[in-house]
Amino acid sequence: MAIGAPFRFSEPLREGIILARPNRFIMDVDLGNGAPVRCHCPAVSRIGGLDLAGRPCLVSDSHNPKRKMPLTVEAFSLQQPDDAAKQWIGINQNASNRYVEHFLREGALDDVTGPVAEVRREVPLGASRLDFLVNDNLFLEVKTPLVQVQTSVPAYVPRLPEAPFSSTERSLRHLRELAASLARNERAVVLYCLYYENDGFRFYHGTTYADVLATVDACRDAGVELWQADFRVTPSDVSLMRCYPLEKW
């Protein structure tokens, strides 16, 4: 059962089929009109190490003629294009803070934050700007991991060749600054947002895993809390399905 009122899109998302991802910012999509449409891809990393050509997707329209690519791919499905009831995996990392702010103000994340009286966005902390300051005493940083898609992947979905992944310094800096903030604030939280059903996020075992694990352990010992939020994406809305502390890394 969903928690709180969903975040509703301004209009229903359109369904299409991903044809290719020429680079990390672009996806070519068949929207059923016979011609490929170039869309913005809002995920900056690999997406689960998967080749998404042939996968169904959901596309939003900004209706902004000044944008080079007015359309954005919001989600994809691991099911076949002709499946009637698809489950979607959201990939819009740019929109994640917008969704979280909605649910903060709805009170749907009170298990994490306690009752919310005030929400501030993009608050300076050290050399960073962290995503939220809640009630003036809780820093909350939002992460939307997509390098791994931690769910069952059908055999018909091809995988891309393995590639090293070491882009963790920004995340580690945020963790260290969150730990340091506890000298002045009561709580510091990292909220891992998964836009699909996931049984427990585990960090990608990339080339810097040992450094990441050591930093995470030190920050948890200092009092930084790690939480996971699972969301469901449909053509009409985004719902918060559950939220719980991460006990293991």
Side-chain angles (χ1 to χ4, degrees):
M1 181 180 295
I3 307 170
F7 175 97
R8 298 194 180 279
F9 298 116
S10 57
E11 63 183 16
L13 305 180
R14 298 169 63 186
E15 187 169 333
I17 297 175
I18 299 170
L19 301 175
R21 188 183 184 187
N23 63 47
R24 63 179 182 165
F25 302 110
I26 294 172
M27 283 183 172
D28 291 331
V29 175
D30 179 1
L31 290 172
N33 55 9
V37 179
R38 186 141 286 188
C39 301
H40 172 59
C41 176
V44 298
S45 64
R46 286 190 169 205
I47 301 172
L50 304 175
D51 181 352
L52 297 181
R55 302 277 52 78
C57 66
L58 294 175
V59 175
S60 65
D61 190 340
S62 68
H63 299 290
N64 183 354
K66 295 182 180 180
R67 274 184 49 172
K68 185 176 180 180
M69 289 177 285
L71 304 183
T72 297
V73 177
E74 300 285 348
F76 73 95
S77 176
L78 291 170
Q79 294 163 267
Q80 297 288 22
D82 57 357
D83 283 350
K86 299 181 184 69
Q87 294 180 332
W88 299 100
I89 296 175
I91 63 170
N92 195 337
Q93 293 171 315
N94 298 330
S96 200
N97 282 11
R98 190 160 69 247
Y99 304 150
V100 169
E101 182 174 10
H102 166 83
F103 290 108
L104 282 170
R105 296 189 184 280
E106 281 286 313
L109 289 167
D110 282 3
D111 283 352
V112 183
T113 62
V116 175
E118 181 185 19
V119 178
R120 292 169 54 196
R121 288 278 301 269
E122 297 291 321
V123 180
L125 177 65
S128 303
R129 297 183 73 85
L130 296 187
D131 294 322
F132 296 98
L133 179 61
V134 180
N135 295 342
D136 229 20
N137 64 4
L138 186 158
F139 275 108
L140 188 148
E141 179 71 5
V142 175
K143 300 296 182 187
T144 309
L146 284 171
V147 173
Q148 285 183 312
V149 173
Q150 297 172 349
T151 190
S152 178
V153 178
Y156 55 74
V157 178
R159 294 186 179 272
L160 297 169
E162 287 288 335
F165 176 77
S166 58
S167 301
T168 56
E169 179 49 40
R170 182 170 180 269
S171 293
L172 297 186
R173 185 179 75 246
H174 285 173
L175 276 167
R176 290 189 289 265
E177 288 173 341
L178 281 167
S181 79
L182 289 167
R184 304 184 302 280
N185 292 286
E186 293 180 13
R187 295 178 61 205
V189 172
V190 182
L191 183 66
Y192 292 94
C193 296
L194 286 300
Y195 292 91
Y196 59 96
E197 187 172 341
N198 179 285
D199 291 330
F201 171 69
R202 298 292 179 267
F203 192 81
Y204 176 64
H205 285 233
T207 53
T208 61
Y209 182 70
D211 291 341
V212 170
L213 192 60
T215 300
V216 169
D217 286 343
C219 291
R220 293 182 86 163
D221 288 345
V224 176
E225 302 170 41
L226 307 183
W227 287 73
Q228 177 173 330
D230 292 346
F231 299 84
R232 181 181 64 207
V233 180
T234 73
S236 62
D237 56 48
V238 177
S239 296
L240 175 62
M241 303 309 295
R242 59 178 182 161
C243 189
Y244 55 94
L246 281 172
E247 301 297 338
K248 298 180 180 178
W249 187 249

